[in-house]
Amino acid sequence: MNANTPSVLSTAKHVTSAYPGMVIARSRRCLKGLQCSLAQALIGLLMTASQGLAQPVYEPYTFTTIAGKAGVPGSADGTNSVARLNQPYGVAVDSAGNLYVSEFAGCTIRKMTPAGTNWVVTTLAGSAGVIGSADGTGRRAQFWSPGGLAVDNAGNIYAPDIGNHTIRKVTPEGTNWVVTTIAGMASVAASADGTNRAARFRWPNGVAVDNDGNVYVGDTYNHTIRKMTHVGTNWVVTTLAGRAGFSGSADGTNSAARFNLTSGVAVDAAGTLYVSDAGNCTIRKVMLVGTNHVVTTLAGKAGAIGSADGIGSAARFHGPNTTATEYTCAHRAARIRYPG
């Protein structure tokens, strides 16, 4: 993962661009619900594709900067442009409209609370610029470049800790936030199914959580999709699709499918997963059929880099990085619309 990769954060389906760590932007139409709001992106334009016709005209949206100041990275908490961020990477929103942001370079988890017309930024966990793997409360916890974020129905935050090859959970306890490592072992990059720290990941990036509390992870450099199931006090990690160490683009069932750098993951209400396949420049769908997971390619063509709008394999992407249940974010952002 390139720490200098530009990141852009947007809520809902609207994406604006910024240099890494500088601003978080939103549209006036944002914050219309949790699934609609789970978007994070690299620099992009908005595209709409629908059955039979690609939309050639971009919809007009108004964007405003709600936190941070362009060109001024930092770690200061504060309101609106007084706050500073350092390569914001992942973003999630809870049912109350609070935003949670991971900072790739800052190694922290931030919270943005709407207060009237203002946004108040606070640091929930991690210490700015301090790399580590320690569990703990608030600033005593440490991260190494946290990636995508997801929030469950209880307000718990899940964060792949990219540099540590682990999955972290950030739990609200009163006015504090407690960070625990729920799967993987810090500094050990590998691939193994198992329980809690016996499981192994390799640069995990994307994360999603379904209504039952199951957590799904894009295990980027293993080229796989992993599932984490809460069993009692434990987390059991299994591989749903792809095969560790084998990159490719083949559609198929379970380990017969191939990915190339699985990145963003989103899950809809039916439990279907949508995956940004960054190395293939495609968007994949992972559907549960009986006890199997069937992988198909929704949009883009493996190995064909570009920016063309279009239907299915006629569309082109350039390193799609993250997904939400309605939207995909890449160097541009694309909305994939189903008929009806």
Side-chain angles (χ1 to χ4, degrees), residues 8 12 85 122 179 213 230 244 250 262 294 296 308 310 340:
V8 178
L85 301 118
T122 54
V179 179
H230 204 190
T262 50
V294 178
T296 55

Side-chain angles (χ1 to χ4, degrees), residues 150-332:
V151 180
D152 67 17
N153 294 331
N156 302 298
I157 304 168
Y158 299 88
D161 196 347
I162 297 175
N164 280 317
H165 315 289
T166 57
I167 309 301
R168 316 290 292 277
K169 182 179 180 180
V170 188
T171 305
E173 293 191 4
T175 59
N176 297 313
W177 291 81
V178 178
V179 179
T180 53
T181 301
I182 57 175
M185 180 174 287
S187 301
V188 180
S191 178
D193 291 341
T195 301
N196 304 333
R197 297 188 185 223
R200 296 290 182 267
F201 301 87
R202 189 182 302 273
W203 303 99
N205 187 352
V207 66
V209 59
D210 66 20
N211 290 329
D212 294 324
N214 300 302
V215 176
Y216 302 89
V217 177
D219 195 354
T220 304
Y221 280 85
N222 279 322
H223 314 293
T224 55
I225 303 298
R226 315 291 293 277
K227 180 180 181 181
M228 298 174 52
T229 305
H230 204 190
V231 180
T233 59
N234 297 311
W235 288 88
V236 179
V237 179
T238 55
T239 302
L240 298 185
R243 184 178 176 187
F246 290 82
S247 62
S249 60
D251 291 341
T253 301
N254 303 333
S255 62
R258 293 290 180 267
F259 300 89
N260 188 0
L261 302 178
T262 50
S263 187
V265 179
V267 60
D268 66 17
T272 299
L273 302 177
Y274 301 88
V275 180
S276 296
D277 195 349
N280 282 321
C281 301
T282 56
I283 307 304
R284 315 291 292 278
K285 180 179 180 179
V286 185
M287 177 177 286
L288 181 63
V289 179
T291 59
N292 297 311
H293 285 82
V294 178
V295 179
T296 55
T297 302
L298 291 184
K301 183 178 180 181
I305 296 173
S307 60
D309 294 351
I311 301 164
S313 61
R316 293 291 181 267
F317 300 89
H318 188 177
N321 183 257
T322 60
T323 58
T325 49
E326 293 188 59
Y327 309 94
T328 300
C329 302
H331 290 290
R332 62 191 179 114

Side-chain angles (χ1 to χ4, degrees), residues 40-117:
Q40 59 197 38
L42 300 181
I43 296 175
L45 299 173
L46 179 69
M47 179 276 283
T48 302
S50 60
Q51 185 184 46
L53 180 65
Q55 178 176 309
V57 179
Y58 296 113
E59 300 176 49
Y61 296 104
T62 301
F63 296 92
T64 56
T65 300
I66 60 174
K69 185 175 181 180
V72 185
S75 60
D77 290 340
T79 301
N80 303 336
S81 62
V82 173
R84 295 289 180 266
L85 301 118
N86 193 353
Q87 290 189 14
Y89 191 94
V91 63
V93 60
D94 65 18
S95 59
N98 300 300
L99 297 177
Y100 302 90
V101 178
S102 64
E103 290 190 296
F104 188 91
C107 298
T108 57
I109 307 296
R110 315 288 291 277
K111 181 179 181 179
M112 298 175 52
T113 306
T117 59

